[in-house]
Amino acid sequence: MGDKKTERWVREASRLTYKSEYFEVHTDTVRLPSGSKITYDWYAARDFCVIVALNDGRLIAIENYRYPADEWFLELPAGHLEDGETPTQAASRELEEETGYRAQNLVYLGWYYVSSRTLQKGHVLFCDRLAKTATRREESELQRVKLITPSYLENKIRRSEVKHAATIIAYTIAKSRGLF
C-alpha cells in the first residue's frame, strides 16, 4: 500500500443515468489505485435539515406517513433546503410548516453525509425558544405533531422503534452536546 493521502480513485467517465425533481443517479467509470477499473453508481440530492426543537422540556416530533414503507414513523421535523437557502433558513421554514412552531433561536450543531454513495448532507439544528403559529404543510405531507420527552424518544430508539436515521443521528448529536 502506498501513501494513504495520495491513494485515490480517479473518475475517467461519468454519465447521468436518471434525473427527477428529487435526485439524480450517476454512473461513473473509475480507475482504482491498483489500476483496475470499476463502475460506480452514486446519487445527488439536495441537502436537508433536521430540527431538534425543545419546548418546555418536550421535543417537538411528528408522526410522518412514509409512502414507500406504507407506515407512520416517529420523526423529528426535517426537510430539504430550497435553492439559495442556508440550513438555518430551511430549518426555520420547515419547523413552522410541519409543526406550527416558529424557532426564536436556531443553533447549528453540524452536518453528516447520509450515505457513502452521495455528497448529500444532513444538517442538524437545535432550538429551545419557540412561538406557536400554524402549520403550512404541503398537500403530500401526512403528519401529526407529537410533543414527547427526550427519554420517551430515547426509549423508542433503544427498542429499535425509531426507523428514521436522521432523527436518531440528530437526537444523538444534541444529547452529546448536553442540550437535554
Side-chain angles (χ1 to χ4, degrees), residues 55 60 92 95-96 99-103 130-134 145 147:
N55 190 34
I60 299 172
S92 180
L95 181 66
E96 190 168 358
T99 69
Y101 284 89
R102 180 178 298 132
L130 301 148
K132 186 67 178 131
T133 63
V145 175
L147 301 177

Side-chain angles (χ1 to χ4, degrees), residues 8-9 37 41 62 87 97 101 105 113 134 137 145 180:
R8 299 194 183 281
W9 293 10
K37 289 185 183 181
D41 295 319
I62 56 174
E97 284 177 4
Y101 284 89
N105 68 320
Y113 285 125
R137 295 185 186 111
V145 175
F180 43 81

Side-chain angles (χ1 to χ4, degrees), residues 47-55 59-60 76-81 85-95 103-112 121-130 153 166-175 177 179-180:
D47 289 357
F48 64 89
C49 58
V50 186
I51 307 100
V52 181
L54 197 61
N55 190 34
L59 291 167
I60 299 172
L76 294 175
H80 287 96
L81 279 65
E85 271 187 325
T86 66
T88 302
Q89 291 166 332
S92 180
R93 176 183 50 76
E94 288 288 347
L95 181 66
Q104 306 296 312
N105 68 320
L106 279 165
V107 177
Y108 187 80
L109 300 182
W111 63 269
Y112 60 94
K121 295 176 184 175
H123 299 273
V124 180
L125 295 98
F126 174 82
C127 62
D128 61 0
R129 291 197 324 267
L130 301 148
L153 181 58
T167 292
I168 297 168
I169 293 167
Y171 175 82
T172 302
I173 290 171
K175 181 165 180 159
R177 302 276 180 93
L179 296 173
F180 43 81

Side-chain angles (χ1 to χ4, degrees), residues 17-158:
T17 53
Y18 176 81
K19 182 175 182 171
S20 78
E21 171 183 357
Y22 300 101
F23 65 93
E24 300 174 352
V25 177
H26 299 263
T27 300
D28 292 356
T29 302
V30 177
R31 185 173 27 85
L32 302 177
S34 67
S36 299
K37 289 185 183 181
I38 63 168
T39 299
Y40 190 87
D41 295 319
W42 61 278
Y43 72 94
R46 286 183 293 163
D47 289 357
F48 64 89
C49 58
V50 186
I51 307 100
V52 181
L54 197 61
N55 190 34
D56 294 326
R58 293 189 179 274
L59 291 167
I60 299 172
I62 56 174
E63 291 178 323
N64 202 6
Y65 175 75
R66 295 293 185 183
Y67 168 72
D70 192 28
E71 289 184 42
W72 288 84
F73 291 92
L74 180 64
E75 303 176 6
L76 294 175
H80 287 96
L81 279 65
E82 299 295 339
D83 290 338
E85 271 187 325
T86 66
T88 302
Q89 291 166 332
S92 180
R93 176 183 50 76
E94 288 288 347
L95 181 66
E96 190 168 358
E97 284 177 4
E98 293 186 353
T99 69
Y101 284 89
R102 180 178 298 132
Q104 306 296 312
N105 68 320
L106 279 165
V107 177
Y108 187 80
L109 300 182
W111 63 269
Y112 60 94
Y113 285 125
V114 302
S115 167
S116 62
R117 292 213 176 237
T118 186
L119 295 177
Q120 182 186 35
K121 295 176 184 175
H123 299 273
V124 180
L125 295 98
F126 174 82
C127 62
D128 61 0
R129 291 197 324 267
L130 301 148
K132 186 67 178 131
T133 63
T135 60
R136 295 187 324 270
R137 295 185 186 111
E138 296 173 24
E139 181 181 8
S140 63
E141 293 178 318
L142 301 180
Q143 300 169 330
R144 299 182 288 243
V145 175
K146 187 168 183 169
L147 301 177
I148 59 175
T149 63
S151 62
Y152 177 87
L153 181 58
E154 190 163 332
N155 286 332
K156 291 276 196 186
I157 292 170
R158 189 176 296 113

